[in-house]
Amino acid sequence: MKKKSNLLAVLALAVILSAGIGKAWAYFTTYAEAAGGYTIELGDRTEIQEEFGEWTKRVSVSNNETSGQSVYIRAKAFSGNAYELTYEDESGKWTPGDGGYYYYSDPVKAGEATGELLVHIGNIPQNANEGDRFHVAVVYESTPVRYDADGNPYADWNEVLDTGATEGGE
C-alpha cells in the first residue's frame, strides 16, 4: 500500500511539473539567431566633397540625386588647439550659428550641392614642410526641409538625417 501511494505521489508530482513544460519548450524552440547583414538605403544621403591646398580646405556637401527630399546642411571643422581655423564664404550663403557650426541658408535639392565653405588653417609651424602630417576634421549634418503653417521652410536640427566627417592631412 505504501508503494502504491508513493507511486501515486511521484506521478502527481510529474504531472504538476510537466504542466509548464509546453511554454518552456515553445520558448526554446522559437529562439533564433541571425548572422550576416544587408544594407538598406533610406533615400536621403548627403556626401561631403573636400579639396585641400595652400592650407585651406574647400568644403561642399551634395544631396544624392536619388534623395527624396531637399535638406538643410551645416558644417564645422575641428583641429583641437593645434591650428587656428577661420572660415570664408565665397557664395554668401554660409552663416555662423549655434555650436560653432556654419549653416547653409538655402535648402539643397536632390542632385545639387552647397556652395564652397573655405576653412583656412592658421598658426602653421614655421618649420612645416610639404608632406608633414596634420589633422583637421570637418563634420557635417543634414536635416529635411520642414514647412510651417504658412508654407515657409525651416530646419529642425533635432531631426538629423545624415552625419559625416572627413579627416584631412598631408
Side-chain angles (χ1 to χ4, degrees), residues 1-84:
M1 184 73 140
K2 193 173 184 182
K3 251 186 184 177
K4 199 175 192 180
S5 84
N6 283 344
L7 182 63
L8 284 175
V10 169
L11 284 174
L13 185 61
V15 168
I16 291 170
L17 292 176
S18 66
I21 201 156
K23 291 180 185 176
W25 187 254
Y27 171 78
F28 288 113
T29 58
T30 59
Y31 178 75
E33 188 172 317
Y38 185 73
T39 303
I40 60 170
E41 195 66 44
L42 297 179
D44 294 310
R45 296 286 302 162
T46 52
E47 186 175 316
I48 193 167
Q49 292 81 34
E50 187 177 300
E51 294 178 14
F52 175 77
E54 299 178 14
W55 296 99
T56 300
K57 284 193 169 204
R58 301 177 84 75
V59 177
S60 67
V61 181
S62 63
N63 189 4
N64 191 314
E65 62 187 27
T66 61
S67 183
Q69 59 189 332
S70 298
V71 295
Y72 279 107
I73 305 288
R74 67 181 180 178
K76 179 180 185 178
F78 296 93
S79 68
N81 293 329
Y83 305 102
E84 179 185 328

